């Protein structure tokens, strides 16, 4: 390892690892505490979908036991059925702590005043911090399982400007059964007044281009929590939590109707002026929905629709194809992996070529269409994001910025996802330490989630690391359990077009269950720092992301021996 | 997915499979070529009455069934696999059917993995109708709490 790289890694580990560095402030030096905005979506013991969002205040200095005290906060929890946090105040967070290992793995305990959530009001999440302002999280207390994000809050001000948004959850249109729900659109907030356009897909009932008007954001409280008033649909009660000036989390908090959803809004920049060409020559896409029971990931290469005969599928991109530009329709050639495990007629596709088109107008409210050949997927809303924003890690603006949110608008599939620029497909750059997460399902019918702290070595693509497996309903383990003693092993080998890797298999094992599980997994590389993966066996799927620890990658990563063999906290 | 077990654990593997735990899920060849969409087509729905020969809450690998729960139906023209999707039997007591019962099912017959299956939307049993998919074929889950009503089973309103 180069001396500079080593220094970066050591600093990162010291920042993250109170235990290793003997304490000290880690999140917001000079202040007593730091607020983190969090959200997660998953399944709880009572309902097929639950959502949670909130802000948790965490002490900047460690307690004597090495943990960081939770000093306050507020959250909203909603499973659309039996549990909805009381409104308008939500669940007060009264205590808890964050325990962070020197390798970035963590356990966050949140004590609330709502005995209906978690275990008698206490929720436990595992997390992985790739840096000190962002963690992937999974609820881990047996009451529920989910995947989400915890991000340093950098503003509590009333949101202002133009945003793109998506959200997902479960809605009941008939009061009798839940169906999966997805939403996407664009909105503008001016002094709290909201206007915009929304696409909705509730159980396959698609409505595109509904205007948003007469809606207001109330002024947020000290935790950056506010209310969305004036939505005219029956599902009309939302709260929001500010992450920063350009990122807001939303959560449905209806208690009178049967619905739940959580999502995010991302700024479009100071002066949105999008074009189809903003997608760039290559992107990586990912979308999924645990209720629907499907996930996909892939990459596509854009070019202008010049009425020339379509390019051959192999190689994917026609040599000399004109670049996409302007706000009109552009075409793409794509490569993807898909698992529609719980579609009416399930299908798994591996390393599959298909074609499509898209258009992104100046306001960032666009569409994307997959031609036949990638399962039942066909129609998407496409919503432009500020080119300076990192969608997965909004406080990190150093890499993999920009992209689009997407929401599937098909009558048979309901889901949301992201498109991010593909800027680096160099195999050697997929190396170092990664925070990974995934959410999926097996033919058993219940959700599982996991986090991993993976080390990737090149040139062999060796992939290994501890796994925190949340499987409270027995989707994988049969009996149901949470364990931080599981591990991944395998090799991510380049396959297909540049940017695609395959595990055959990725092996999950644990001393807590007998045997090991072989999984067929594809990975798509947007850059060295962000990748997306999808599992495509006919009886299990997951979808998720991998985020690199800063300074851990590069050609010398194979020589690194990061302290990541155990889940520390 | 495929489970690998230690050599000495082969008996345990057999035992687990016999007792139908989900870790012995089916493994089949993955489709590697584009396939035409198989969306649920409500215009092709049929309703039939049959006797339940067996109930499969979670299919094992050996069963080679689609994910989710199933009713194995004995019809006048032979055996039929009625796939119920993800949520029909998720919670105990939601949809309780035992072998030998007469059921009336509404859905679409299709072929998946070279096997004929009945993609079920409605199940009528004991005078009640259970909706397990909506008109788009999307699996739905019962609303259970908040009120005392048994909305999921008030078949007359479906």
């Amino acid at each position: 390892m180069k001396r500079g790289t080593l220094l970066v890694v050591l600093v990162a580990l010291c920042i993250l690892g109170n235990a290793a560095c003997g304490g000290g402030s880690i999140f917001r030096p000079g202040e007593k505490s730091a607020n983190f905005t969090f959200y997660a979506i998953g399944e709880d013991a009572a309902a097929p979908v639950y959502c949670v969002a909130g802000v948790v205040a965490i002490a900047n200095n460690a307690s004597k036991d090495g943990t960081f005290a939770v000093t306050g906060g507020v959250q909203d929890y909603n499973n659309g059925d039996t549990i909805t946090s009381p409104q308008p105040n939500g669940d007060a967070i009264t205590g808890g702590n964050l325990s962070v290992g020197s390798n970035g793995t963590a356990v966050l305990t949140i004590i609330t005043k709502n005995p209906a959530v978690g275990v008698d009001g206490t929720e436990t999440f595992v997390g992985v911090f790739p840096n000190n302002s962002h963690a992937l999280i999974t609820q881990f207390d047996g009451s529920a399982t989910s995947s989400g994000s915890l991000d340093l809050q950098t503003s509590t001000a009333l949101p202002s400007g133009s945003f793109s948004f998506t959200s997902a959850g479960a809605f009941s249109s008939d009061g009798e059964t839940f169906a999966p729900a997805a939403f996407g659109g664009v909105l503008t907030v001016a002094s709290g007044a909201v206007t915009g356009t929304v696409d909705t897909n509730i159980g396959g009932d698609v409505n595109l281009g509904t205007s948003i008007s007469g809606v207001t954001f109330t002024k947020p409280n000290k935790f950056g929590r506010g209310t969305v008033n004036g939505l005219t649909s029956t599902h009309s009660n939302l709260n929001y939590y500010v992450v920063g000036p350009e990122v807001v989390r939303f959560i449905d908090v209806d208690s009178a109707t049967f619905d739940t959803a959580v999502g995010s809004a991302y700024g479009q920049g100071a002066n949105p002026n999008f074009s189809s060409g903003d997608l760039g020559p290559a992107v990586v896409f990912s979308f999924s929905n645990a209720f629907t029971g499907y996930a996909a990931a892939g990459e596509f290469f854009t070019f202008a629709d010049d009425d020339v005969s379509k390019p051959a599928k192999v190689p994917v991109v026609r040599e000399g194809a004109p670049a996409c530009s302007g706000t009109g329709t552009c075409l793409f050639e794509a490569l993807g992996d898909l698992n529609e495990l719980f579609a009416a007629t399930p299908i798994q596709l591996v390393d599959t070529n298909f074609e499509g088109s898209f258009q992104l107008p100046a306001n960032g409210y666009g569409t994307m269409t997959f031609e036949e050949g990638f399962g039942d997927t066909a129609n998407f809303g496409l919503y432009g994001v500020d080119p300076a924003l990192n969608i997965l890690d909004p406080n990190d603006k150093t890499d993999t910025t920009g992209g689009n949110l997407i929401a599937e608008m098909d009558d048979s599939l309901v889901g949301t996802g992201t498109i991010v620029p593909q800027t680096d497909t160099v195999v050697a750059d997929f190396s170092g330490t990664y925070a990974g997460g995934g959410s999926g399902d097996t033919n058993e019918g219940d959700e599982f989630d996991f986090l991993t702290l993976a080390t990737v070595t090149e040139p062999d693509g060796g992939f290994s690391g501890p796994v925190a497996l949340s499987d409270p309903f027995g989707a994988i383990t049969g009996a149901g359990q949470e364990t931080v003693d599981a591990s991944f092993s395998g090799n991510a080998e380049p396959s297909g077009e540049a940017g695609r890797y395959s595990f055959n298999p990725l092996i999950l094992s644990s001393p807590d269950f007998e045997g090991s599980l072989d999984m067929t997994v594809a990975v798509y590389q947007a850059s060295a720092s962000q990748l997306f993966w999808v599992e495509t066996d006919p009886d299990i799927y997951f979808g998720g992301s991998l985020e690199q620890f800063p300074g851990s990658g590069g050609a010398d990563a194979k020589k690194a021996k990061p302290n990541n063999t155990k889940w520390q906290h | 997915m495929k489970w690998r077990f230690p050599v000495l654990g082969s008996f345990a593997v057999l035992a687990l499979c016999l007792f139908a735990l989900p870790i012995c899920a089916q493994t089949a060849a993955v489709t590697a070529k584009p396939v035409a969409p198989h969306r649920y087509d409500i215009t092709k729905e049929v309703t039939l009455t049959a006797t339940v020969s067996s109930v499969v809450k979670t299919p094992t690998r050996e069963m080679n069934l689609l994910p989710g729960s199933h009713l194995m139906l004995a019809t006048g023209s032979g055996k039929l696999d009625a796939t119920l999707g993800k949520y029909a039997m998720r919670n105990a007591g939601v949809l309780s059917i035992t072998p030998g019962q007469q059921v009336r099912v509404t859905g679409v017959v299709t072929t998946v993995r070279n096997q004929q299956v009945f993609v079920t939307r409605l199940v009528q049993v004991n005078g009640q109708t259970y909706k397990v998919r909506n008109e788009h074929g999307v699996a739905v889950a019962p609303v259970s709490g908040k009120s005392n009503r048994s909305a999921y089973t008030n078949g007359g309103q479906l």
Side-chain angles (χ1 to χ4, degrees):
Chain A
M1 179 180 288
K2 295 176 182 176
R3 184 175 300 172
T5 304
L6 177 62
L7 178 61
V8 170
V9 173
L10 289 174
V11 169
L13 292 176
C14 286
I15 288 172
L16 292 165
N18 174 66
C21 304
S25 62
I26 61 170
F27 300 119
R28 185 164 280 165
E31 298 183 23
K32 288 185 177 179
S33 65
N35 288 353
F36 283 82
T37 305
F38 67 95
Y39 81 95
I41 181 170
E43 174 184 342
D44 72 10
V49 178
Y50 89 97
C51 301
V52 63
V55 168
V56 58
I58 299 173
N60 245 331
N61 293 290
S63 305
K64 289 182 179 178
D65 64 0
T67 67
F68 298 86
V70 168
T71 59
V74 62
Q75 71 162 32
D76 290 293
Y77 185 111
N78 183 15
N79 70 7
D81 198 347
T82 56
I83 306 171
T84 303
S85 299
Q87 300 302 313
N89 296 324
D91 303 330
I93 294 173
T94 59
N97 63 65
L98 173 67
S99 176
V100 188
S102 61
N103 58 4
T105 56
V107 174
L108 172 65
T109 301
I110 295 175
I111 301 171
T112 79
K113 282 193 170 182
N114 185 351
V117 305
V119 178
D120 298 327
T122 298
E123 299 162 335
T124 301
F125 294 85
V126 289
V128 186
F129 283 85
N131 56 62
N132 65 349
S133 63
H134 168 66
L136 304 178
I137 58 171
T138 288
Q139 191 158 350
F140 207 69
D141 53 32
S143 71
T145 185
S146 57
S147 290
S149 183
L150 176 82
D151 296 284
L152 185 69
Q153 187 181 54
T154 60
S155 171
T156 58
L158 180 69
S160 181
S162 297
F163 295 83
S164 288
F165 67 93
T166 55
S167 65
F171 272 56
S172 178
S173 299
D174 56 9
E176 301 174 355
T177 55
F178 286 113
F183 307 86
V186 297
L187 58 86
T188 298
V189 188
S191 301
V194 182
T195 56
T197 305
V198 60
D199 301 329
T200 66
N201 186 354
I202 299 176
D205 291 330
V206 174
N207 285 290
L208 303 178
T210 302
S211 294
I212 301 171
S213 62
V215 175
T216 58
F217 286 4
T218 64
K219 185 179 178 181
N221 66 12
K222 67 176 182 179
F223 290 116
R225 177 181 186 263
T227 299
V228 181
N229 290 329
L231 289 171
T232 54
S233 73
T234 56
H235 311 296
S236 57
N237 299 310
L238 302 178
N239 288 340
Y240 72 84
Y241 291 88
V242 177
V243 179
E246 279 201 286
V247 181
V248 182
R249 311 297 189 197
F250 290 88
I251 183 166
D252 177 318
V253 291
D254 281 316
S255 58
T257 53
F258 303 108
D259 45 83
T260 179
V262 71
S264 300
Y266 293 88
Q268 294 185 319
N271 298 295
N273 186 24
F274 292 97
S275 74
S276 300
D278 288 345
L279 267 72
V283 302
V284 169
F285 66 85
S286 172
F287 54 91
S288 63
N289 186 280
F291 191 135
T292 306
Y294 82 123
E299 59 192 17
F300 64 73
F301 309 94
T302 67
F303 54 95
D305 182 5
D306 61 351
D307 294 327
V308 176
S309 59
K310 290 186 176 180
K313 290 192 174 183
V314 180
V316 169
V317 180
R318 178 185 55 196
E319 292 294 332
C324 171
S325 63
T327 57
T329 298
C330 289
L331 307 178
F332 62 76
E333 292 290 333
L335 177 70
D337 290 57
L338 168 74
N339 195 342
E340 295 179 8
L341 185 64
F342 277 99
T345 52
I347 187 170
Q348 289 80 38
L349 297 174
V350 174
D351 199 2
T352 298
N353 292 106
F354 62 99
E355 303 170 348
S357 62
F358 65 96
Q359 61 88 27
L360 190 65
N363 67 356
Y365 175 70
T367 59
M368 179 174 70
T369 302
F370 289 180
E371 300 298 332
E372 188 173 304
F374 200 53
D376 289 335
T377 62
N379 302 296
F380 295 82
L382 178 71
Y383 317 108
V385 170
D386 182 354
L389 262 182
N390 181 330
I391 294 173
L392 294 189
D393 183 356
N395 286 308
D396 177 10
K397 298 184 178 181
T398 61
D399 52 47
T400 317
T401 59
N404 297 263
L405 308 178
I406 55 176
E408 180 150 12
M409 293 291 146
D410 285 313
D411 62 3
S412 58
L413 294 172
V414 183
T416 55
T418 58
I419 290 176
V420 297
Q422 187 177 50
T423 58
D424 179 359
T425 59
V426 175
V427 173
D429 290 347
F430 178 26
S431 61
T433 304
Y434 286 84
S439 177
D441 207 336
T442 69
N443 64 347
E444 186 270 352
D446 282 303
E447 180 172 336
F448 69 88
D449 298 85
F450 67 84
L451 296 177
T452 185
L453 176 70
T455 299
V456 184
T457 57
E458 297 295 351
D460 63 332
F463 186 101
S464 62
V467 174
L469 175 65
S470 175
D471 186 28
F473 311 116
I476 287 180
T477 59
Q481 62 177 259
E482 295 81 37
T483 176
V484 294
D485 294 325
S487 60
F488 276 142
S489 61
N491 291 83
E493 299 176 351
S495 65
E497 298 291 330
R500 183 183 184 277
Y501 303 80
S502 63
F503 289 96
N504 196 14
L506 177 65
I507 303 169
L508 174 67
S509 58
S510 169
D512 295 322
F513 51 80
E514 187 175 4
S516 58
L517 178 61
D518 293 357
M519 296 185 286
T520 305
V521 175
V523 180
Y524 287 88
Q525 179 177 349
S527 65
S529 60
Q530 283 190 12
L531 304 94
F532 297 86
W533 53 0
V534 59
E535 209 280 355
T536 54
D537 281 301
D539 50 9
I540 182 174
Y541 86 92
F542 72 75
S545 63
L546 292 160
E547 301 175 36
Q548 190 183 51
F549 279 56
S552 71
D556 290 330
K558 61 186 178 187
K559 300 175 183 175
K561 295 181 180 179
N563 184 18
N564 66 353
T565 56
K566 290 288 184 182
W567 200 272
Q568 302 176 2
H569 56 89
Chain B
M1 63 178 173
K2 184 167 67 178
W3 282 88
R4 291 193 290 194
F5 294 89
V7 174
L8 294 177
S10 56
F11 176 78
V13 176
L14 178 61
L16 289 172
C17 291
L18 289 174
F19 288 101
L21 289 178
I23 58 173
C24 293
Q26 68 187 47
T27 298
V30 172
T31 304
K33 295 179 180 178
V35 175
H38 290 87
R39 292 196 170 106
Y40 189 88
D41 185 351
I42 199 168
T43 65
K44 295 181 179 176
E45 274 192 347
V46 296
T47 298
L48 56 89
T49 301
T51 301
V52 177
S53 58
S54 64
V55 178
V56 180
K57 291 187 176 180
T58 303
T60 64
R61 178 189 305 174
E62 289 72 20
M63 293 176 179
N64 194 27
L65 298 174
L66 298 181
S69 53
H70 298 254
L71 299 178
M72 296 302 167
L73 304 178
T75 71
S77 55
K79 183 179 174 182
L80 183 63
D81 169 13
T83 174
L84 303 181
K86 188 174 178 180
Y87 297 101
M89 296 183 171
R90 179 175 178 267
N91 295 322
V94 174
L95 172 56
S96 180
I97 296 178
T98 56
Q101 283 189 289
Q102 287 279 323
V103 296
R104 186 175 170 86
V105 291
T106 299
V108 173
V109 178
T110 189
T111 300
V112 184
R113 298 177 190 167
N114 299 317
Q115 295 182 5
Q116 188 179 65
V117 297
F118 188 83
V119 180
T120 310
R121 185 171 69 87
L122 302 174
V123 180
Q124 292 174 269
V125 62
N126 294 332
Q128 295 184 317
T129 300
Y130 297 80
K131 184 166 78 171
V132 299
R133 287 187 174 86
N134 67 15
E135 64 274 19
H136 302 296
V138 175
V140 297
V143 170
S144 63
K146 278 189 177 174
S147 69
N148 293 324
R149 61 183 165 164
S150 182
Y152 184 51
T153 60
N154 61 352
Q157 298 179 19
L158 291 171

